[in-house]
């Protein structure tokens, strides 16, 4: 049996002992269920079925510590979680030792007696743990009350209709500025405005706007180049249903950097439905009327593409003025007599012209700003001698950081793949605080990008890591030798991961540069998380940057 070292014992003995009885246990539970609890600790939570370690104060009635471990993890993990419950408990608990610990496993009782024998804590066996039993019943209630992604009676027909749309490939004919209207006059919806995504080969899907004002307002706010927070607000302010397509699992990892979802076979494509509304935000499931609305609109789109495909010009050509009417039988439930509704699908060439004018005006403003001269690439934001790395943070940890760091800037990140691709900058605590403050004063972080840099004097080519702040300034965070094998591999993984997250990544600023966590900061060392766009060198539009010596 592994014993506590003497310094740890002395540290624990110095904690105040409170007249409380603590309950402790480990039970099977899926990591997804545990992460739905706001006080869950995601540090070591694996995927799939695992075991949950829980320590609660039975006298006060709150959780002191929780962890997720694999099924084959030894009893040492229970002690680790217990020590955290004593020294670093969840709020509102304060560091302390209990007078008594009760468990419902006799082997665990004897194990804890041996480990904690010098801490003056009574260890007892009891057949039941009422507070922990109640908490785990709550877990199961949460799982059982989660609504399905689609109403069961319409899930099959709606999924099949999504695959029909994928086979139709409307993005080969329509750009995201070429809108189709679908008049329904059903379920309190008069007209839906369909926006097709996918012509650029990045995101594939259909946005079904409930109003033309919502569509226009979102475009205006995006083109205005507002701050990240304002863009997120604009994204969540849309009023629409949506259908998006993604790859199943990690299929994209098997492909090169120029991976395009459209290259995958149908068996590796997965449709996802959801809802956006200014008062609801993003919801990844549909209720019954929403499911019927989406199905009818997609069926109407499917029929329109089948009948009018030859009349739609394709990429670069304006929409002709077209409209068609269809009588569509609704999906039946329990062999009921099908209802039939009449819908009208029409192109919107006037709206297309309006959206193009908005985009062209924004491009002209950007050109005028750029004509003022090439932006200066500053190197005074990131502290000297900082530890830098490109990596990935699991989504469970991202959820923890969003509520646990001092500074969090959110973005409309798609949780796909193994986690959020991040740039980690680790420095001392004062310098980390100063860097965070400078980013906040600049309006926040806007994007992370890489751009070619050339040192003609030493004949070295760099891959420059650049942070773009919301005030338009560009800040150097790293100079990487372009052909360095380690960096080449890291950049390849970075690009693949960013494609999975729909072009979003993160910046983590951490303390602990000179401590034991150098190069591997713990969650408590992470002070800031910025979720931003990942821009390519083409998006940045600077071209290769030349090193120019500064003369004093």
């Amino acid at each position: 049996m592994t014993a506590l070292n003497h310094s740890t014992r002395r540290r624990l003995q110095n904690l105040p002992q409170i007249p409380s009885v603590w309950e402790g246990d480990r039970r099977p539970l899926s990591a997804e269920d545990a992460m739905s609890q706001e006080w869950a600790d995601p540090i070591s939570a694996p995927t799939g079925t695992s075991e949950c370690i829980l320590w609660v104060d039975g006298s006060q009635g709150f959780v002191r510590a929780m962890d997720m471990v694999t099924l084959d993890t030894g009893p040492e993990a229970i002690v680790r979680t217990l020590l955290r419950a004593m020294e670093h408990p969840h709020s509102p608990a304060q560091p302390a030792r209990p007078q008594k610990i009760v468990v419902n496993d006799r082997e665990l009782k004897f194990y804890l007696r041996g480990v904690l024998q010098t801490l003056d804590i009574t260890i007892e066996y009891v057949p039941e743990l009422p507070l922990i039993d109640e908490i785990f019943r709550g877990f199961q209630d949460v799982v059982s009350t989660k609504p399905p992604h689609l109403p069961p009676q319409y899930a099959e027909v709606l999924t099949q209709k999504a695959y029909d749309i994928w086979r139709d490939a409307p993005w080969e004919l329509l750009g995201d500025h070429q809108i189709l209207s679908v008049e329904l006059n059903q379920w309190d919806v008069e007209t839906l405005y369909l926006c097709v995504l996918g012509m650029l080969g990045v995101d594939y899907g259909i946005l079904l706007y409930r109003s033309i004002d919502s569509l226009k307002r979102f475009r205006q706010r995006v083109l205005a180049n507002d701050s990240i927070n304002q863009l997120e607000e604009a994204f969540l302010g849309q009023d629409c249903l949506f259908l998006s397509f993604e790859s199943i699992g990690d299929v994209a990892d098997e492909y090169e950097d120029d991976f395009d979802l459209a290259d995958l076979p149908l068996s590796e494509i997965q449709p996802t439905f959801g809802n956006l509304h200014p008062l609801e935000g993003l919801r990844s499931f549909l209720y019954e009327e929403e499911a019927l609305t989406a199905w009818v609109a997609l069926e109407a789109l499917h029929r329109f593409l089948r009948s009018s495909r030859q009349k739609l010009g394709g990429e670069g050509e304006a929409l002709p003025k077209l409209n068609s009417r269809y009588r569509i039988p609704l999906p039946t439930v329990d062999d009921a007599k099908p209802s039939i509704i009449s819908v009208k699908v029409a192109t919107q060439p006037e709206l297309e012209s309006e959206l193009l004018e908005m985009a062209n005006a924004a491009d002209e403003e950007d050109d005028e700003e750029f004509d003022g001269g090439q932006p200066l690439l500053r190197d005074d934001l990131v502290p000297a001698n900082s530890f830098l790395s490109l990596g990935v943070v699991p989504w469970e940890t991202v959820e923890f950081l969003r509520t646990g760091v001092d500074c969090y800037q959110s973005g409309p990140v798609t949780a796909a793949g193994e986690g959020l691709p991040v740039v980690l900058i680790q420095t001392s605590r004062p310098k980390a605080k100063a860097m965070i403050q400078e980013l906040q004063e600049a309006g926040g972080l806007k994007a992370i990008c890489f751009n070619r840099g050339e040192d003609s004097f030493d004949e070295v080519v760099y891959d420059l890591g650049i942070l773009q702040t919301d005030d338009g300034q560009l800040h150097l965070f790293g100079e990487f030798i372009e052909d360095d094998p380690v960096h080449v591999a890291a950049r390849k993984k970075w690009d693949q991961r960013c494609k999975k997250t729909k072009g979003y990544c993160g910046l983590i600023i951490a303390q602990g540069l000179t401590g034991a966590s150098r190069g591997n900061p713990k969650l408590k060392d992470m002070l800031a998380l910025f979720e931003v766009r990942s821009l390519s060198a083409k998006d940045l539009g600077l071209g290769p940057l030349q090193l120019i010596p500064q003369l004093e």
Side-chain angles (χ1 to χ4, degrees):
M1 177 188 299
T2 304
L4 297 173
N5 61 50
H6 294 296
S7 63
T8 301
R9 288 177 183 175
R10 288 192 295 270
R11 194 174 69 245
L12 295 174
Q13 288 168 343
N14 288 331
L15 292 174
Q17 190 166 34
I18 57 177
S20 293
V21 178
W22 293 4
E23 298 179 13
D25 200 9
R26 61 185 290 178
R27 301 183 184 183
L29 184 71
S30 73
E32 179 183 357
D33 298 339
M35 289 313 138
S36 68
Q37 311 307 315
E38 62 180 11
W39 32 261
D41 187 348
I43 297 175
S44 58
T47 57
T49 301
S50 308
E51 285 194 326
C52 174
I53 299 174
L54 198 59
W55 284 100
V56 301
D57 188 327
S59 304
Q60 298 294 326
F62 50 66
V63 175
R64 292 188 67 93
M66 176 180 174
D67 205 355
M68 293 292 295
V69 296
T70 57
L71 295 173
D72 57 355
T73 303
E76 297 85 1
I78 298 178
V79 177
R80 288 195 295 269
T81 310
L82 174 59
L83 296 187
R84 194 164 72 247
M86 293 184 190
E87 296 188 284
H88 307 288
H90 291 294
S91 179
Q94 298 296 317
R97 281 181 298 149
Q99 258 186 358
K100 181 190 290 188
I101 286 176
V102 294
V103 296
N104 65 350
D105 184 300
R106 296 186 188 277
E107 289 186 10
L108 178 58
K109 179 191 77 169
F110 290 113
Y111 179 80
L112 292 175
R113 277 186 177 178
V115 173
L116 307 176
Q117 55 185 327
T118 63
L119 298 182
D120 192 26
I121 300 175
T122 302
I123 315 292
E124 292 185 359
Y125 166 84
V126 295
E128 294 183 353
L129 302 171
L131 185 54
I132 287 182
D133 290 341
E134 182 181 348
I135 290 173
F136 275 91
R137 281 195 298 270
F139 284 170
Q140 300 307 319
D141 289 343
V142 169
V143 175
S144 62
T145 56
K146 283 183 178 178
H149 291 295
L150 296 173
Q153 65 271 38
Y154 300 121
E156 184 177 352
V157 293
L158 196 51
T159 300
Q160 186 56 53
K161 191 54 55 185
Y163 283 122
D164 288 343
I165 297 299
W166 178 261
R167 283 186 286 261
D168 291 337
W171 37 83
E172 294 179 356
L173 305 170
L174 301 170
D176 61 8
H177 59 288
Q178 296 174 309
I179 309 300
L180 302 179
S181 64
V182 179
E183 292 184 17
L184 295 177
N185 296 312
Q186 293 284 334
W187 309 294
D188 297 321
V189 177
E190 294 182 1
T191 303
L192 290 174
Y193 296 89
L194 275 55
C195 172
V196 176
L197 305 177
M199 184 170 280
L200 298 179
V202 181
D203 299 318
Y204 290 87
I206 311 292
L207 300 176
L208 301 91
Y209 286 94
R210 296 184 181 92
S211 75
I212 198 168
D213 289 338
S214 174
L215 187 157
K216 290 181 181 180
R217 187 164 54 247
F218 176 68
R219 295 296 178 91
Q220 289 169 344
R221 297 179 72 173
V222 170
L223 293 172
N225 268 331
D226 289 332
S227 68
I228 295 297
N229 289 337
Q230 291 173 320
L231 286 176
E232 180 187 10
E233 184 180 348
F235 173 80
L236 296 176
Q238 297 177 94
D239 184 9
C240 65
L241 304 169
F242 66 83
L243 162 64
S244 63
F245 295 97
E246 300 173 355
S247 61
I248 297 176
D250 295 327
V251 173
D253 289 340
E254 304 172 8
Y255 293 79
E256 298 300 324
D257 290 348
D258 58 352
F259 166 76
D260 189 332
L261 195 68
D263 296 333
L264 295 180
L266 185 65
S267 60
E268 296 177 356
I269 299 298
Q270 176 175 290
T272 301
F273 290 90
N275 177 79
L276 277 165
H277 188 273
L279 300 182
E280 288 189 76
L282 175 64
R283 172 160 44 83
S284 58
F285 56 88
L286 299 182
Y287 290 109
E288 183 174 331
E289 286 189 358
E290 295 169 337
L292 276 173
T293 301
W295 184 88
V296 171
L298 294 178
E299 171 64 14
L301 173 62
H302 175 61
R303 295 189 182 191
F304 182 77
L305 292 171
R306 190 169 52 188
S307 63
S308 304
R309 193 174 193 92
Q310 300 302 320
K311 300 175 184 177
L312 298 172
E315 184 174 359
E317 297 189 25
L319 278 178
K321 197 168 186 63
L322 303 172
N323 66 81
S324 299
R325 290 189 176 274
Y326 306 101
R327 289 173 54 80
I328 298 178
L330 298 181
T332 57
V333 178
D334 298 330
D335 297 325
K337 183 178 179 180
S339 300
I340 297 178
I341 66 171
S342 177
V343 302
K344 176 183 176 182
V345 182
T347 58
Q348 300 292 317
E350 295 84 1
L351 179 57
E352 175 189 10
S353 299
E354 186 177 346
L355 295 178
L356 282 176
E357 287 177 7
M358 291 167 52
N360 292 335
D363 289 342
E364 290 176 2
E365 291 180 7
D366 291 341
D367 291 342
E368 290 175 3
E369 293 177 4
F370 188 78
D371 288 342
Q374 179 170 307
L376 175 65
L377 182 59
R378 300 173 55 178
D379 63 354
D380 57 353
L381 175 65
V382 178
N385 301 317
S386 297
F387 176 84
L388 307 173
S389 69
L390 302 181
V392 63
V393 173
W395 293 114
E396 295 88 350
T397 304
V398 172
E399 287 299 323
F400 180 88
L401 290 175
R402 285 170 174 166
T403 57
V405 294
D406 297 338
C407 174
Y408 170 54
Q409 176 183 294
S410 63
V413 178
T414 298
E418 58 188 314
L420 178 69
V422 297
V423 172
L424 169 67
I425 298 178
Q426 187 180 25
T427 183
S428 66
R429 181 176 179 83
K431 292 180 179 178
K433 289 283 190 180
M435 181 179 175
I436 294 169
Q437 182 178 352
E438 189 169 347
L439 286 171
Q440 291 174 326
E441 291 175 351
L445 187 63
K446 185 175 183 179
I448 296 175
C449 34
F450 290 89
N451 200 85
R452 182 184 177 94
E454 300 172 351
D455 183 350
S456 56
F457 295 94
D458 293 332
E459 297 183 348
V460 179
V461 178
Y462 293 98
D463 191 21
L464 302 178
I466 298 174
L467 303 176
Q468 185 180 33
T469 49
D470 196 60
D471 60 3
Q473 293 288 328
L474 302 177
H475 301 266
L476 181 70
F477 73 80
E479 296 175 304
F480 308 95
I481 304 298
E482 189 178 52
D483 57 359
D484 176 66
V486 175
H487 178 65
V488 169
R491 270 298 310 277
K492 183 176 181 180
K493 289 183 178 179
W494 170 271
D495 293 338
Q496 290 174 341
R497 290 162 177 162
C498 287
K499 285 188 177 181
K500 286 189 176 182
T501 58
K502 311 298 185 186
Y504 276 86
C505 60
L507 168 67
I508 291 178
I509 301 175
Q511 63 182 4
L513 179 64
T514 58
S517 61
R518 173 182 171 86
N520 187 28
K522 309 303 181 188
L523 286 180
K524 63 182 178 62
D525 298 318
M526 299 180 186
L527 305 180
L529 169 63
F530 296 84
E531 296 173 349
V532 297
R533 292 288 300 180
S534 171
L535 299 182
S536 66
K538 182 179 180 181
D539 295 329
L540 196 59
L542 295 180
L545 298 177
Q546 298 286 337
L547 175 64
I548 301 176
Q550 297 293 318
L551 301 177
E552 298 294 339

